[in-house]
Amino acid sequence: MTNRGFGSGDQGLSQTSLTIIVVFLCLALYNVIELTLIIGGTFKRYSGMYFWSFSVATLGIALNCSGFFIKFFGPFTLGFGYLSCTLSLMGWVCMVTGQSMVLWSRLHLILQNEKRIRIVMWIIITNGAVLHGTIIPMVYGSFSTNPEIWLKPYSIAEKFELVIFFLQEFMLSSLYIFQTIGLMKLERPLGNRSSSCLMMKHLILVNILVIILDITILALEFANQYDFQISYKPFAYSVKLKLEFTILNRLVDLTKCSDLNNPTITLEIFSTETGGKYTGPVYYAESSSSSSTGNGKGVMMPTGIASHCEGRIA
C-alpha cells in the first residue's frame, strides 16, 4: 500500500487488468439497476427489515463501485483519494453487513426459534462492528504522512475479516440448507413428493452457489490479487442479491398456508403462465406496519413473511 493507496490512480496496472476490473464493476452496476427495478416492482410497501436490508445492500454495491471507479480512473489527488475511500468504505459496510441482514430477516421462515434467531442477529452485529471498525481506520491511515506503517496490519486484517464474513454467511446458508431438509422430513413441502424434492434441490443448490461465490472472493484475496478481489466482490454480492429473490420465493412456497400472522413484507409470487392460463396456485404475501409478530408459540418473527394459498386459476 503506497500513499493514497486507496485513492485514485491505476497504480501501474496493465491495460488488461484495468479492462477486467472495469468489466466486473460495470456488471455489478448493471445488476444494481436490475435489483432496483425488482425492488420497485415487488414491494408494495416500503417498510420492514427485509425491504430495508435489501435496499441498503443494493445501495452499498453502487457506492462501492463508484468509489473504485474513482480510485482507478479519477484524478490522482488527495481530495479524490479521500472521496474514493469514503464511497468504497460506505458501500462495503452496507453491502457486506446488509447482505447478512437480508439473510437474517427471512430466517424465521425455516427457523422458528426466537433465541437462535436473536443469537444470529447479535453475531452479525458484533462481527460488523468489530471488523468494519478495524478496517476503516487503516484505510484512512493510508493517507497519512507515513502510510507504510499500515501495510502489514492491513494485509493481515483484510484476510481476517474476509474469512470471518465468509464463515458468517456460510453459517447462514448452512442453516437454510439443514432447516429446509428438516422441513421436508416433517412433511411440510408444497405438493407431492417429486415437487418437494425438486424444491429442496433448488434451495440447496442456490445456497451452495452463494457459498461458492464467497469462496472465489477468498481465493482472489489469498492469491494476492487485491485489485481483482475488490472489483469482483461487488459483482459477486450483486449476484447473491439476485439469487435472494429466487430463494425467498421458494421458501414462501415451502411454508405456504402456514400460520404466520401479521406479516411485514409485501410480495406477489405467481406460477408460470402456460398457454395464456395460470396453471399453478397463486400466493400472496401481505404487509402491515408491524415490524415483529408472534407465531402463536411465543416465537417473535423478525420479518413476518406470510403466504396465503388461493388455489388454481383456470
Side-chain angles (χ1 to χ4, degrees), residues 27-49:
L27 286 173
L29 287 175
Y30 173 82
N31 286 339
V32 166
I33 295 174
E34 190 172 341
L35 286 167
T36 303
L37 295 176
I38 291 174
I39 292 172
T42 302
F43 292 93
K44 290 183 177 179
R45 298 184 183 180
Y46 300 155
S47 62
M49 178 61 73

Side-chain angles (χ1 to χ4, degrees), residues 127-145:
N127 286 343
V130 173
L131 298 176
H132 294 315
T134 300
I135 294 295
I136 290 175
M138 294 183 181
V139 174
Y140 280 105
S142 67
F143 293 89
S144 67
T145 56

Side-chain angles (χ1 to χ4, degrees), residues 27-76:
L27 286 173
L29 287 175
Y30 173 82
N31 286 339
V32 166
I33 295 174
E34 190 172 341
L35 286 167
T36 303
L37 295 176
I38 291 174
I39 292 172
T42 302
F43 292 93
K44 290 183 177 179
R45 298 184 183 180
Y46 300 155
S47 62
M49 178 61 73
Y50 185 82
F51 167 77
W52 286 113
S53 57
F54 201 102
S55 299
V56 167
T58 302
L59 175 63
I61 295 171
L63 292 175
N64 194 253
C65 291
S66 300
F68 288 129
F69 267 119
I70 296 174
K71 167 184 168 61
F72 291 111
F73 304 105
F76 196 75

Side-chain angles (χ1 to χ4, degrees), residues 1 16 27 35 52 57 129 145 149 158 171 187 239 264 270 304:
M1 189 191 328
T16 301
L27 286 173
L35 286 167
W52 286 113
T145 56
I149 64 174
E158 172 75 0
M171 171 193 69
E187 294 185 350
V239 173
T264 59
F270 299 104

